[in-house]
Amino acid sequence: MDSTTCDFHQLLVSKPNGEVIMDEEGNDPEEIDHKDICMEWEAILPTLPKQKGWMADHLVQYQGVWLSPSGLKGVMLARHHFTCLPTDIILSTSPKAGTTWFKALLFTIMNRRIYQFSSHPLLTTNPHDLVLFIEAMFDQAPTASPVKDGISSSRLLSTHMPYSLLPNSVKTSCCRIVYVCRDPKDALISQWQYLKRLRPKEMPPLPLEEAFGLFCDGVSHFGPFWDHALGYYGASQESPQKVMVLTYEAMMTDPAFNIKRLADFVGHPLDPEEESGGVVERMVSLCSFENLSRLEVNKSGVQQFTAQFMVPNSNFFRKGQIGDWRNHLTPTMAESLNKITKERFGGPDLEFSL
Ligand code: PAP
């Protein structure tokens, strides 16, 4: 490992001086903390408001946020164990807003001087294996968290956690956060289709009308959808150098322009030779839906996010378009969702397109 690389495992779990401290009985206190958090999670679960879930489990409301029970465990563990570094780049998304795509884009932008396009890791590795979700890192125990060799000098990590639930160190460090949002109508349809495919075979699919009602009531994974976006939008207004808000639609409409914005924001600006040499176009094409979805790894591999939650890679590539909601929502449903969005987002300078 050279000086531009960092060991994720080391950075995530070691004490500041690298020393592993044991208690009198030879236990690692991190392990004890882990058990405490798991016990706290088990104790708190039955006390939380519950609503029907989109898949097998119900959703619970924790500090105003709807989560699956296992999702809550991941969030509680991440809030306890995760220590943010000032150089970290964190991709934050509401579910189905383009996480997979933006993981690929940011990874490519940040590591473009290390890899050639012809032998790029994205050709053989799913973006979720290159950029980990913070809330899925600590499922087993901190010492069992997946070891990934960091490749760029900054760590690139990802989360679905709303701003309000981010670990304190993320809020207080001078890391940078890229927040991606998507038209809620497409996010709703994408999530509904995704969870329909993941449900246990014995469960009937959730009717769209029910999913629509739950979504409008804010009852969706990491929802309410609008609070999620507004939390990051507020943070970006307060600290534009720390939080950047982008939309799926903006990236789709003008990828070259938005890739350059992203590159500037994460501290890897493009130089004139790269611009004239077609590097942006090659990044757009490498990360495109057409390219990633045809790769063998994305057709056949799986993501084991936690002990209980496994997702075939192909489930992250469905249509990759703006406006698929038109094939599913009635005009009345679309109008209701637009109305909520307009009421909640209000101001004309918000970047979300309808
Ligand atoms: P996650 O939040 O569960 O990680 P996420 O990647 O945000 O999922 O959502 C998947 C959506 O992004 C899918 O949208 P759809 O259901 O409307 O089709 C998926 O098709 C789309 N997607 C995945 N990769 C790309 C890509 N490279 N370009 C554009 N869209 C993509």
Side-chain angles (χ1 to χ4, degrees):
M1 197 178 290
D2 67 31
S3 61
T4 61
T5 67
C6 57
D7 180 335
F8 265 59
H9 186 242
Q10 185 72 20
L11 289 167
L12 289 169
V13 304
S14 62
K15 314 292 177 288
N17 62 0
E19 190 189 344
V20 177
I21 305 162
M22 301 290 180
D23 70 9
E24 284 160 9
E25 283 153 19
N27 298 313
D28 179 350
E30 291 274 13
E31 290 266 6
I32 297 167
D33 279 0
H34 189 87
K35 281 187 199 135
D36 287 346
I37 302 292
C38 293
M39 279 163 62
E40 194 183 321
W41 168 70
E42 275 170 23
I44 201 175
L45 264 185
T47 70
L48 298 174
K50 256 192 207 179
Q51 276 277 10
K52 183 179 168 114
W54 292 47
M55 218 168 44
D57 278 337
H58 54 272
L59 295 184
V60 293
Q61 193 181 38
Y62 177 75
Q63 299 189 11
V65 181
W66 289 100
L67 298 159
S68 66
S70 60
L72 172 61
K73 185 178 172 194
V75 167
M76 289 174 75
L77 287 167
R79 278 159 67 83
H80 183 79
H81 289 305
F82 181 70
T83 305
C84 189
L85 299 175
T87 47
D88 284 348
I89 305 294
I90 300 191
L91 169 66
S92 183
T93 54
S94 79
K96 303 298 145 200
T99 322
T100 314
W101 187 20
F102 277 77
K103 281 186 176 186
L105 286 167
L106 281 168
F107 182 89
T108 306
I109 291 168
M110 289 168 61
N111 296 295
R112 68 181 185 274
R113 301 211 167 95
I114 300 171
Y115 297 118
Q116 302 200 333
F117 285 98
S118 57
S119 56
H120 199 277
L122 276 170
L123 299 175
T124 49
T125 319
N126 178 271
H128 293 288
D129 281 320
L130 294 172
V131 185
L132 304 181
F133 281 110
I134 298 171
E135 56 271 26
M137 279 175 172
F138 303 100
D139 184 50
Q140 304 302 319
T143 46
S145 64
V147 179
K148 298 275 164 181
D149 279 336
I151 292 143
S152 158
S153 51
S154 311
R155 298 190 301 180
L156 173 58
L157 300 160
S158 164
T159 185
H160 282 323
M161 282 184 270
Y163 192 80
S164 61
L165 287 187
L166 286 177
N168 256 343
S169 67
V170 177
K171 291 189 186 160
T172 55
S173 91
C174 45
C175 69
R176 267 159 289 179
I177 301 174
V178 173
Y179 181 68
V180 181
C181 190
R182 187 179 188 185
D183 181 335
K185 301 189 293 304
D186 278 332
L188 156 65
I189 293 302
S190 184
Q191 187 157 171
W192 174 64
Q193 297 273 15
Y194 171 81
L195 294 172
K196 201 160 68 158
R197 281 196 265 170
L198 282 184
R199 75 185 198 283
K201 293 237 167 356
E202 63 279 9
M203 271 196 65
L206 181 70
L208 177 57
E209 293 68 25
E210 258 190 78
F212 173 80
L214 289 167
F215 190 87
C216 289
D217 290 342
V219 186
S220 58
H221 290 256
F222 295 91
F225 174 91
W226 298 275
D227 291 359
H228 200 283
L230 286 167
Y232 283 96
Y233 180 73
S236 80
Q237 294 289 95
E238 264 175 38
S239 314
Q241 71 295 345
K242 173 162 175 158
V243 185
M244 176 191 204
V245 176
L246 254 177
T247 62
Y248 182 97
E249 291 77 12
M251 185 57 81
M252 194 60 99
T253 310
D254 194 346
F257 172 73
N258 284 297
I259 282 180
K260 281 187 253 171
R261 280 180 69 200
L262 267 183
D264 286 342
F265 183 74
V266 300
H268 293 262
L270 282 120
D271 60 36
E273 292 79 55
E274 286 181 309
E275 290 210 34
S276 59
V279 170
V280 178
E281 290 70 20
R282 296 185 80 179
M283 291 197 280
V284 172
S285 147
L286 174 68
C287 299
S288 69
F289 180 87
E290 292 66 33
N291 186 48
L292 294 184
S293 60
R294 74 175 175 80
L295 297 171
E296 197 47 46
V297 64
N298 295 327
K299 288 202 271 190
S300 58
V302 289
Q303 289 304 311
Q304 184 81 51
F305 286 122
T306 64
Q308 302 82 23
F309 190 47
M310 198 185 78
V311 183
N313 287 342
S314 59
N315 283 23
F316 293 103
F317 302 92
R318 194 181 62 92
K319 288 208 166 171
Q321 293 166 1
I322 297 175
D324 183 46
W325 60 267
R326 289 175 209 282
N327 298 315
H328 302 277
L329 298 178
T330 64
T332 314
M333 285 166 139
E335 193 37 51
S336 307
L337 261 180
N338 282 348
K339 190 163 170 276
I340 301 173
T341 306
K342 280 182 191 143
E343 279 167 11
R344 293 300 317 276
F345 288 172
D349 62 336
L350 279 170
E351 275 197 45
F352 310 110
S353 57
L354 289 176

